[in-house]
Amino acid sequence: MPAPGTRERLDALARMRPLCLAEDGCVSWEAYHSHEDPARFVLVERWATRGHWETHDAGEAIQKIYLPEIMPRIEREVHPSAPAALGEAGQFHLVDQGEGGILR
């Protein structure tokens, strides 16, 4: 049985994905749903620069979907990161994970 609110979160993520991918500087945007913990989602966003990611906060996906529909229902951890010694110079990666919800 899915965790409460799972379908709503999946729907919100599905609506966010094309909006995020269309934003300037978005290299990739993927949402993962844990097999072990049905209440856990992990978003992995890859942005050309940290500035692109910061600008993303003013975009439609964040303002019209993430903030009103997702943020009130989650615990959030943000982990800005880069590939270990394998990444392309200057690229900014964001990996978020948390319990009970979706993280950005």
Side-chain angles (χ1 to χ4, degrees), residues 34-85:
S34 172
H35 290 194
E36 306 241 343
D37 180 354
R40 184 178 292 261
F41 290 80
V42 177
L43 298 186
V44 179
E45 302 177 35
R46 188 170 168 205
W47 295 89
T49 67
R50 186 177 186 105
H52 286 103
W53 173 63
E54 290 171 352
T55 300
H56 164 64
D57 280 346
E60 183 178 355
I62 298 300
Q63 296 300 314
K64 293 188 176 178
I65 301 171
Y66 187 77
L67 292 176
E69 296 181 37
I70 296 172
M71 276 297 290
R73 297 173 180 88
I74 65 165
E75 294 175 30
R76 182 177 183 227
E77 280 180 55
V78 177
H79 299 276
S81 52

Side-chain angles (χ1 to χ4, degrees), residues 19-43:
L19 297 173
C20 293
L21 288 170
E23 290 183 40
D24 185 42
C26 184
V27 177
S28 66
W29 191 98
E30 298 296 331
Y32 297 88
H33 190 193
S34 172
H35 290 194
E36 306 241 343
D37 180 354
R40 184 178 292 261
F41 290 80
V42 177
L43 298 186

Side-chain angles (χ1 to χ4, degrees), residues 6-21 29 31 41 43 61 65 69-70 102:
T6 297
R7 291 199 190 283
E8 292 83 358
R9 291 182 189 122
L10 288 169
D11 176 64
L13 288 171
R15 289 182 286 124
M16 283 183 67
R17 187 171 195 277
L19 297 173
C20 293
L21 288 170
W29 191 98
F41 290 80
L43 298 186
I65 301 171
E69 296 181 37
I70 296 172
I102 302 165

